[in-house]
Amino acid sequence: MLTKEDMSALEAAIRSSLLARKREISISDESLGKMAFPFMANPTGKVQALLVGQGAGDKRKPQTLRIGDAMNLCESLGLQWADVFRQAIKDIKNRN
C-alpha cells in the first residue's frame, strides 16, 4: 500500500517521465494540450497546470495528476501509459 508521500512521489515520477519525453520530442505545451485535451477550453493551461504548476514562488504546485489526464498525456507523447506507471512504481519502491 502507498503512503501519502509515496503517492506524491509516484505523481512526481510520472510527471518527470512526461516532461523528459516532452523535451525529447520538442513539443510545445500548446500542441500537447490540443492532442491530450482537445475537449477543453484551455488545453495549454491544463498542460501547464499539470506539468509545471500554478502559483508563484514557493506556492507553485502542480495540479493533482489524475489517471485519465496521465493516460492522455502519455498517449499524446507516444508513451505506453502502463510502462510509465510501472516504471514510476519501481522507482518509488526502490527509494524506500
Side-chain angles (χ1 to χ4, degrees):
M1 191 169 325
L2 299 174
T3 65
K4 183 177 179 180
E5 292 78 23
D6 290 340
M7 288 188 269
S8 293
L10 180 64
E11 277 190 41
I14 292 169
R15 194 174 281 112
S16 177
S17 293
L18 295 172
L19 286 167
R21 178 65 176 164
K22 183 178 175 292
R23 282 190 295 275
E24 180 184 326
I25 63 172
S26 299
I27 190 170
S28 69
D29 289 345
E30 182 179 5
S31 295
L32 179 56
K34 286 179 180 177
M35 286 191 292
F37 308 109
F39 51 87
M40 299 191 100
N42 183 9
T44 304
K46 180 67 172 178
V47 168
Q48 291 170 347
L50 288 169
L51 299 181
V52 179
Q54 298 170 307
D58 294 343
K59 295 182 183 188
R60 180 173 293 269
K61 166 177 151 172
Q63 205 175 66
T64 300
L65 192 58
R66 299 180 317 172
I67 293 170
D69 294 338
M71 290 174 69
N72 280 3
L73 287 168
C74 285
E75 288 188 24
S76 296
L77 291 168
L79 298 169
Q80 295 294 319
W81 62 265
D83 294 339
V84 172
F85 289 20
R86 189 176 299 112
Q87 186 59 52
I89 291 167
K90 283 182 187 176
D91 291 347
I92 66 163
K93 296 269 184 189
N94 288 335
R95 77 179 172 98
N96 292 335

